[in-house]
Amino acid sequence: MVGRPATQRRSAQYAWLVTNPMALFTLVCLSFFWAAHPRWYEAWAAGLIAFLLYIVADIGVFNVVIGRSTFSVIVYEVPFVLALYYLPPPMVICVVTVSMIVCQWRSRMTPAKLWFNVAKTAASACVALLVIAALPDIRGAGPGTWAILTAAVAVNFLFDIAALAAIMSVVQGLRAGQDVLRAIWSPMLISGINLTVGLVFLVALDTTWWAAILLVVLAAALITVLRSFAEFFRQHRTLAEVYELTQAIRAVDTDAALPDVLLGRTRALMRSEYATLWLAPQGRHPEVLLTARVENKGLLDLSPTPASIRERSVADGQTMAAGPRFAESQELRRELRSSKIKDAIIVPLRSGQTTIGSLEVLNRLGDARSFRPADVQVLETIAAHVAAAVENTRLVDRLRHDAYHDRLTGLPNRRRITDALAQSVRVRAEQDVVAILLFDVDGQRDVNESMGYAAGDKLLAEVAERLLAIAGPGALVGRIGGDEFVVTLRAESTDATVELATEMRERMRGPMTVGKLTLDVDTAVGVAVYPDHGVDPETLLQRAELAANAAKVLPYGVQLFHPALESRAVRRLGIAADLRKALDNDELNVYFQPKVTLADRHLVGVECLARWQHPTHGEVAPEDFVAVAEHTGQLSRLTERVLSEGLRRCREWSDAERPLSIAVNLSVRTLLDSRFPDQVEAMLASSGVPAAQVTFEISEPGMLGDIERVLPTLYRLRDLGVRLSVDDFGTGASSLSYLRQWPVHEVKIDDSFVQGMATDSGDLAIVRAVVSLSREFGLTVVAEGVESELTLDLLEEMGCEIGQGYLFSRPLPYERLEAWFNAQTEPETTPTGEVRRLRAVI
């Protein structure tokens, strides 16, 4: 076995501390053996043959990498056994020394390495000769000779290993020497095999010299087989290491953990001095540049790869390989050589058509070693897994971020604020309070209605930026609703919290630029503190919202929560009796919102919507009085009121030769009433309105929880001939495949997706998918919330059939709807009769 260090040591001068004693030992032994064998040179012919055998044996079979050095395991023992048997000791020393000089010179070793290897080989040969001299004389090629030669070769092997461990310890540290000793078992096994082969050769040659012919053939076959086995073993080990590496990469869940898992293993797998991972900056993810180096336990935040070469590889999206085995890389090698890099492989990390970074290995270990085309394939395989891991971790991070942050402003959302509050109340100090300041932006709805939702979004983004600027580093700012922002922080007392809220509100009141307009936007601030106003996050947020609602009517706009503030639930209970009276006295109004075909702007129907103007509280939100009606058993009366008014108007329009269909919203609670289909049938017969002109809209989220119970009612309504529509589609958890199971004729896309589709690619994709698949199912598609011409154009382009929204008209009472008919529509004759067509969309 001959060790050939592969790369230059850190301090070559220290090698002479080991080399010189071994050289001196060799000279002493040569003098001793020369005196015992004065005519040793007469065996020059046999010595020449042994020299040639050594040169042939220099063909490497196995390579062992330790630190920055590579050691080759060769079939050294075969010629050595024959030399010990046939040659006088001085000739053995000379042949071993000269052949090692030739082999090392041919490998272009540095002087320090060359002379160390020569001295080590010569000294170990001397040790083996001393063992033979100390044992009985060799007689014949029998078992006794086998034992003597085995002892000599064993001592030679151990001396060789000890010398390697000593030089590695001196030059590269004690750990490197220990690595040599730990790697002893594979070379020992090979040495034993080589010794056995050498003894077989000896026995054969001792029997007849003609056996040399067969032995030459056998030796060539043996070397070929060993080299093939070594290559197979290398490939198997590489595959195993690549598999382990990819499994480790797959288990990574963050970008930050990836370099630690990847780089050290990649460097060891590729037998390189450096392994570098570079990731380009992307969104919230900063640039990453980390390198594993063979002599460093940690990672370096730099790379020896010239930036120009990396940029070229990333720009081209192609792997770049430079080294002696890549003939086309001469120009690249010259560029790398200026940075003291002998060979390199740079593989871009690709995600689809985008390059997101690169994986690089530099300087294959060993002076006579360089990267091969097979190494390029291995690194490309690793790079593919790395790119997938980066994308997966970033996707998970993006989903996690989106789950806890508002999409428009990037601020923490209600869930994140709730979690933060839960943590804050657990670690609250005795001398302070946890404060919740809820800012409700006044006038944001007016901006949406007058300037469009895009302007409203800009306003909210401006509010978020200003609130972040004034909140301070110790506060958490979030958006929990459409125009509601929350600031949570620690304060000295409740009074200090109110003062801070007042100060922040005043600083928020400056003018804000939205498009070409400068607006004076005010805010109402509700204040709640822990533990005075609640002990859990949800209660604190709820009470801060109540305080903010109360602050809207105050001149100074800041309200601290107190128990006298009426909750929304209590208010609903308070209007229950008034709702019953309003139904008895027919005081609820029905508004109508037009529905228009997008292809030809024909007015095809209206949606009937209940409205209530309370004599004391003013206009009551529909969700409030509908919820009260559900909980007080008045929902059926409310539904009957809206349906009856819609049928009456539908009959009038039909008599006036303006046939329009009507749509009425149904609650799941109504569908659970088995008598409802009979009631509808009776009302249709009484009004004389064809069933096909009536559409019932059922909210998707509400229907999902009771789908099995409401299906019989849906089928009975369908059998009457009325149309059924899935309202608010996309806000529930249903699959489009459910539409095949539900007896519906129409899908109504929720306005939250329609309003966002012009600015949000995710909403656009959802709307496009719903339109496409619904049409495949033969369903009519209605888009509600059409607010802009851009949204209208997108919907028309993707094939949506009907739209409704403020772009056409807001919900109107009957008298104003008639005026809208006359002002905004004109009659048009079609094959199916006369219909109303919009003059313009404004």
Side-chain angles (χ1 to χ4, degrees), residues 537-554:
E538 288 296 341
T539 300
L540 290 169
L541 285 174
Q542 177 190 1
R543 291 180 173 175
E545 289 184 67
L546 294 173
N549 289 332
K552 293 179 181 180
V553 299
L554 299 177

Side-chain angles (χ1 to χ4, degrees), residues 163-197:
L164 284 174
I167 196 69
M168 294 297 289
S169 299
V170 169
V171 175
Q172 295 189 6
L174 182 61
R175 182 176 179 180
Q178 293 173 345
D179 290 340
V180 172
L181 296 177
R182 279 194 290 267
I184 191 176
W185 303 109
S186 179
M188 181 183 293
L189 175 62
I190 300 301
S191 179
I193 295 174
N194 291 340
L195 171 62
T196 303
V197 174

Side-chain angles (χ1 to χ4, degrees), residues 646-648 650-651 660 662 683-694:
L647 290 173
R648 183 167 74 91
C650 184
R651 180 73 264 172
L660 295 177
I662 63 169
M683 295 178 71
L684 288 172
S686 174
S687 64
V689 174
Q693 285 189 263
V694 178

Side-chain angles (χ1 to χ4, degrees), residues 280-352:
Q282 186 182 61
R284 298 182 300 102
H285 303 283
E287 180 182 22
V288 174
L289 180 62
L290 291 172
T291 298
R293 189 184 181 191
V294 66
E295 295 173 348
N296 295 84
K297 294 182 179 179
L299 300 179
L300 308 176
D301 57 353
L302 49 84
S303 171
T305 307
S308 59
I309 296 179
R310 179 186 300 118
E311 292 170 0
R312 195 184 318 160
S313 175
V314 170
D316 296 341
Q318 300 294 326
T319 299
M320 299 182 67
R325 303 198 183 194
F326 303 98
E328 69 281 1
S329 65
Q330 294 302 319
E331 181 180 349
L332 184 60
R333 288 182 64 191
R334 285 192 293 270
E335 191 173 350
L336 290 172
R337 200 174 296 120
S338 63
S339 301
K340 299 182 180 179
I341 300 173
K342 67 173 185 175
D343 53 0
I345 304 175
I346 303 172
V347 180
L349 303 179
R350 299 188 61 82
S351 174

Side-chain angles (χ1 to χ4, degrees), residues 722-744:
V722 300
R723 294 173 55 83
L724 299 176
S725 174
V726 181
D727 196 11
D728 303 325
F729 191 80
T731 59
S734 68
S735 165
L736 285 173
S737 63
Y738 290 171
L739 297 179
R740 278 296 190 188
Q741 306 172 23
W742 298 342
V744 297

Side-chain angles (χ1 to χ4, degrees), residues 594-644:
K595 299 169 70 173
V596 179
T597 59
L598 302 185
D600 49 20
R601 305 296 194 270
H602 286 166
L603 180 64
V604 293
V606 294
E607 181 178 1
C608 305
L609 301 165
R611 295 292 185 265
W612 183 23
Q613 189 72 24
H614 193 279
T616 303
H617 300 293
E619 183 176 350
V620 182
E623 57 268 23
D624 281 350
F625 66 76
V626 170
V628 170
E630 284 187 336
H631 288 88
T632 58
Q634 302 177 71
L635 184 60
S636 61
R637 295 184 63 196
L638 177 61
T639 303
E640 181 181 0
R641 164 78 178 108
V642 175
L643 179 57
S644 176

